[in-house]
Structures are given as C-alpha cells and as structure tokens.
Amino acid sequence: MAAISADPACCLTDTTTKSQLCPTKEKQTALLLDSDVNKIVERKLRSNNFCVLHWSLDSLGETNGYLGQYYTLSVNVKIDNKSKHLKFFAKTPPPTSSPQYDFLIRYNTFNKEILVYSELIPTMGIGTGAKWVPDYYLSKSNAILVLEDATQEGYVTPDKYIAFDEEHCISVVKAISTFHSRSLILDEKLRQSTGQTILDLYGHVLEEVAFVADDVAARKYLSSCVKGACTMVDLVEGLNENEATMMKYWIATWVPKLPTLLESSDKYRNVMCHRDIWPNNIMFKRDTRTGKPVSCYLIDFQFLRYSPPAIDFMICLLLVTDCAIRRRLYDQLIDLYCGTMKKELAAEGLDVQKCLPREEFVASCNEVKGVALTYSIANMQIMLLTKQAVDKYFIGSTDQLEYVMYGDQRCDLVKSQCRSRKSYQTRITEVIEEIRVYLANNPGKC
C-alpha cells in the first residue's frame, strides 16, 4: 500500500494521522480513513509512488447547494523526497436534524449523485470539448463524496445576483449541450448493441425526487411557492388588476402541477437532464487577463432526470440571465446548442438529424416555455436568498426552515428578501414580466 512506507521517517502511523485531525476527530475518522485518503491520492496522481504525511478534513461552513455540508480535504504527501500539498472537495449530507436530511434519505438523493459521478459519467465519457464536470475520486454511501477541488484550478462560482453576459451564456450552453450529447450517444450505443436504453439501465437514478405528486412535503413546498410568487406579483408596479388576477390564477394552477409538467416526454426525445442548472451549480474558469470564461463545470447532480433537453436549456436561461440577454441571444444560443450537439454526435459517427433534429429541439423549447417559467417562479424564491437568510435557515435555526420552505411564512420571507436585496426582487420580477407576456401571447394557457 502506498500509505505504508519502508521509511518510518516518511510515513505516519494510523494513530499519528488521526491524532492530528481537528477536534471533531471521531466524525472525520468515520467519514474518511487513512486507506481512503491513500486511494484518493493514488487516483489523483495516477501513481502509488508517494506516502501520505498528514491529512485533514476541514468544514467550509457553506450551504451553497442547500442539500449538503462542504469540506476541504487537505493532504500533504511526499513524492521523491519532495513534499506536495493536495486539496480536494468533499461533500456530506446535511445534519441529521435538518429537514434536508430527511429529504435526502427519503429519496436517496445523495447516493444518486454518487452514482452519477462514479458510474454514469465515466460510462458516458466527457466528449471532445472542454471538461464539463469535476473529477471524481471516492465516495461512501450516505456519507461522503470526494471530488476535484475545482477552485485549485481557478474555477469559481458566479454571483447568483448578476445576470450572465454573452460569454458566460455561451460557456454554459456548450457544457449543457455536451452533457446531453453524451447521454444521447450512450443511449444510441445501447440501443444498437443490446436493444436497451439508458432508462432501462439507469431508470432508478433518473426518477423524480424534488416534485413527487403523492409526496406531502412536495405538495407543501409547492403550496408555499404559490404564496410567495403571488406575493411577488403584488409587488410588481404597473400591473393592472386583471393582469395581476390572471397571473395569480396561472401561478396557482401551474405550480402545483410541476410533478406532472416535469415528467418524461412521450412526444420528444428524452436525455439525462441536470434539472438544477443555476449559478450555484455552475463553476467557471476565467481568463486572468480578460475575465472571460474559458471553461465551465456543471456540479450537483442530485435532481438528474430523464426529460427533453429543452427543459435544461430553457430553465437555465431563465435562472442565469435577464430579459434583455434572453431576447438578444436566444437564437444564437439555440444555434450554439445544436452546433455543439452535432459536433459531439458526429465524432461518434452519429447523425444529429436522426437523434435530435434542430427543428425538434426548437419546437420542444417553445413547448416547455410555460414549464420553465413555472419552475423558475417557484424556485427562485429560495435560490436567490441572501447569505444572511441562508445562514439563518439552513445553518442556524433549522426549525424555522420548515415554516419558510413549507409553511405560512413564505410571504414574509419574500417581502423581507425584497427589502434586503434589490436584485432579489428585480430578478424575480423579470420572470413575472415574462409570465405576463407569455399569457398575453398564449391566452389558451390561462
């Protein structure tokens, strides 16, 4: 084993390593053992010519994803008599006392994400372009997931309140299209070789977890979202009474139907969709001189679903851009998505016209516009919470989380967030304005 050396001065014993952990020694020791760290480093270096001098698992104290606790795994190793410091990102389930933990256990979402990183993505492959997902190193069921620390390579999570510009939109659309293309390629290869599909092999990973029709918590969450969204409508200036009434009715009708609206399509080709592509689940590496993105990672695959690719495309645009950017770049981003898809499929000898014709993708985007608006107006209320609110409800007083997520305090939460952060109100108000236009252009959807 690489963690054991013939040179006693080089490597520490298990006891020495564990004694150098921070005060939460028992928890960390239960999460990772010396043998686990050894395996992680071996996979990172692709060599066993090293010895581990010391390692620690340190909490980041962040809740960007709301459904996990984040850590840095720091490892000092010795290679050819030289010391090297390595860092990894680690994620664990939220505290057992939190409502999020109950959700993860009920729907096995933590293990679902583990399977995505450990099996699905390696099976699909990355494609011909830039890598769109961080490297995977190790996991333990319902305990820990260890990935590349993307920050070490210069990747950063964008400010969720700042709408993406053209360059950032281009980068994320390329990543989405490449991800979808790998799903299509795997599906086509399975059909040709075994007669099976991705759904046959990975159906258990692609099941809905966030919006389950018969789940009490999901119904309560959506009901709370309706209240919050209607409160936001009341805060929009310039709406006449008929417009406000019509929009509230549409929200109250469509939001509770999300479990049905997000089901796999019988009409359009389905692929593996991320279904949660918003700024906190995107990381960009930017040119140090120009600040423009050079590559993009998609992270957090807990809500992976088998859906028309337009679902990811349309929802992402609403969650990362403002109205002006969407109007100006929509056709260009459609072209970019389809062009990237064509290139990736062609590299595997597949014809995009047979797998995902451009006209079908465009038609699907038009058809799911209402679904994307519904999803966005429901979830942006929580996605755009200020750091103070996140710390209060997701780290501190988790007993209050029940009331703002699932109960009657959503209206008060939305109002307080609008007062605290103007961009919170602006971003959500823009989606409300798009709903108004959507309903004016589609009177039958009311």
Side-chain angles (χ1 to χ4, degrees):
M1 295 291 290
I4 301 175
S5 171
D7 179 3
C10 173
C11 293
L12 303 172
T13 65
D14 285 357
T15 303
T16 307
T17 302
K18 292 174 184 176
S19 68
Q20 294 187 23
L21 297 178
C22 60
T24 55
K25 181 178 67 175
E26 291 184 2
K27 179 179 180 182
Q28 291 191 19
T29 302
L31 288 172
L32 288 176
L33 305 175
D34 289 350
S35 57
D36 299 322
V37 175
N38 180 81
K39 187 178 296 183
I40 291 167
V41 174
E42 186 172 333
R43 289 173 175 170
K44 167 69 175 178
L45 299 178
R46 298 183 180 181
S47 167
N48 61 2
N49 184 30
F50 66 89
C51 62
V52 174
L53 301 174
H54 173 263
W55 64 271
S56 64
L57 191 61
D58 306 302
S59 174
L60 292 174
E62 298 177 358
T63 54
N64 276 355
Y66 300 146
L67 289 175
Q69 300 179 93
Y70 299 156
Y71 297 82
T72 293
L73 170 63
S74 298
V75 187
N76 288 322
V77 299
K78 193 172 185 179
I79 308 171
D80 298 330
N81 292 320
K82 294 181 180 179
S83 179
K84 186 179 181 68
H85 183 64
L86 302 175
K87 279 191 173 184
F88 304 87
F89 171 81
K91 178 178 181 179
T92 69
T96 56
S97 59
S98 71
Q100 306 103 288
Y101 182 81
D102 293 338
F103 173 80
L104 259 67
I105 294 301
R106 185 163 63 249
Y107 292 111
N108 204 31
T109 55
F110 193 81
N111 292 333
K112 173 177 181 173
E113 185 171 26
I114 285 175
L115 188 58
V116 172
Y117 280 110
S118 65
E119 184 174 337
L120 260 176
I121 291 175
T123 301
M124 291 193 304
I126 300 300
T128 65
K131 188 156 65 86
W132 46 269
V133 65
D135 291 330
Y136 161 85
Y137 292 110
L138 183 132
S139 59
K140 293 184 179 183
S141 179
N142 280 327
I144 192 167
L145 172 65
V146 181
L147 303 169
E148 165 192 354
D149 184 350
T151 63
Q152 297 298 299
E153 299 299 324
Y155 285 83
V156 296
T157 303
D159 186 332
K160 64 185 179 181
Y161 294 110
I162 300 177
F164 286 11
D165 60 16
E166 180 174 345
E167 287 81 8
H168 286 81
C169 287
I170 288 172
S171 186
V172 73
V173 166
K174 282 183 178 178
I176 294 171
S177 183
T178 304
F179 166 49
H180 289 168
S181 75
R182 303 314 300 177
S183 169
L184 267 177
I185 290 165
L186 176 58
D187 196 55
E188 286 295 316
K189 288 183 175 180
L190 285 171
R191 290 170 188 266
Q192 293 171 12
S193 61
T194 68
Q196 294 181 302
T197 68
I198 283 181
L199 199 57
D200 293 326
L201 291 185
Y202 297 107
H204 59 295
V205 187
L206 299 168
E207 293 177 349
E208 179 63 51
V209 297
F211 304 111
V212 180
D214 58 354
D215 183 80
V216 174
R219 289 201 300 268
K220 290 169 67 176
Y221 174 75
L222 292 174
S223 175
S224 188
C225 289
V226 169
K227 295 174 184 176
C230 290
T231 298
M232 289 298 305
V233 171
D234 287 334
L235 296 177
V236 176
E237 298 179 359
L239 290 179
N240 61 48
E241 186 176 345
N242 287 338
E243 287 176 324
T245 299
M246 179 178 64
M247 289 169 60
K248 288 181 181 179
Y249 176 78
W250 184 85
I251 289 168
T253 303
W254 276 59
V255 169
K257 293 196 299 184
L258 273 173
T260 302
L261 296 173
L262 292 169
E263 289 178 350
S264 300
S265 176
D266 294 326
K267 181 178 180 181
Y268 297 108
R269 182 75 181 261
N270 298 292
V271 301
M272 283 188 285
C273 284
H274 184 289
R275 247 280 304 282
D276 196 25
I277 304 175
W278 62 296
N280 278 25
N281 288 340
I282 304 168
M283 299 185 76
F284 290 106
K285 184 175 183 178
R286 298 182 174 118
D287 184 281
T288 55
R289 184 177 58 86
T290 65
K292 294 182 179 181
V294 295
S295 57
C296 169
Y297 278 173
L298 304 179
I299 59 174
D300 283 356
F301 289 85
Q302 291 162 312
F303 297 135
L304 196 73
R305 187 73 200 277
Y306 197 58
S307 303
I311 288 287
D312 266 353
F313 181 84
M314 295 298 290
I315 289 176
C316 178
L317 286 189
L318 284 166
L319 296 180
V320 306
T321 64
D322 56 27
C323 286
I325 285 287
R326 285 194 288 275
R327 293 192 188 103
R328 182 166 68 86
L329 297 181
Y330 182 77
D331 290 339
Q332 177 184 338
L333 295 177
I334 287 279
D335 290 342
L336 177 66
Y337 178 94
C338 294
T340 303
M341 177 68 67
K342 181 179 181 179
K343 176 186 174 184
E344 292 296 326
L345 294 183
E348 299 284 348
L350 296 173
D351 183 358
V352 70
Q353 281 301 115
K354 295 181 179 178
C355 299
L356 186 65
R358 185 184 192 281
E359 55 271 22
E360 178 181 313
F361 179 69
V362 172
S364 180
C365 287
N366 292 333
E367 192 162 312
V368 303
K369 177 68 179 292
V371 180
L373 288 167
T374 305
Y375 181 96
S376 300
I377 197 63
N379 292 292
M380 287 177 77
Q381 303 168 40
I382 300 299
M383 288 175 168
L384 295 181
L385 289 178
T386 61
K387 185 180 185 305
Q388 292 77 12
V390 172
D391 290 344
K392 176 180 179 180
Y393 297 114
F394 288 85
I395 297 178
S397 183
T398 55
D399 55 329
Q400 293 186 48
L401 179 63
E402 184 81 22
Y403 300 107
V404 298
M405 285 281 284
Y406 308 107
D408 296 330
Q409 291 183 16
R410 179 66 71 88
C411 299
D412 294 336
L413 174 69
V414 165
K415 290 177 182 177
S416 70
Q417 290 298 288
C418 288
R419 291 192 296 267
S420 299
R421 184 95 187 203
K422 182 65 177 176
S423 49
Y424 178 96
Q425 182 172 354
T426 301
R427 292 295 301 280
I428 299 177
T429 297
E430 284 201 335
V431 175
I432 292 174
E433 170 60 20
E434 289 220 22
I435 292 174
R436 186 190 68 77
V437 174
Y438 174 78
L439 293 180
N441 294 332
N442 299 273
K445 298 293 185 179
C446 300

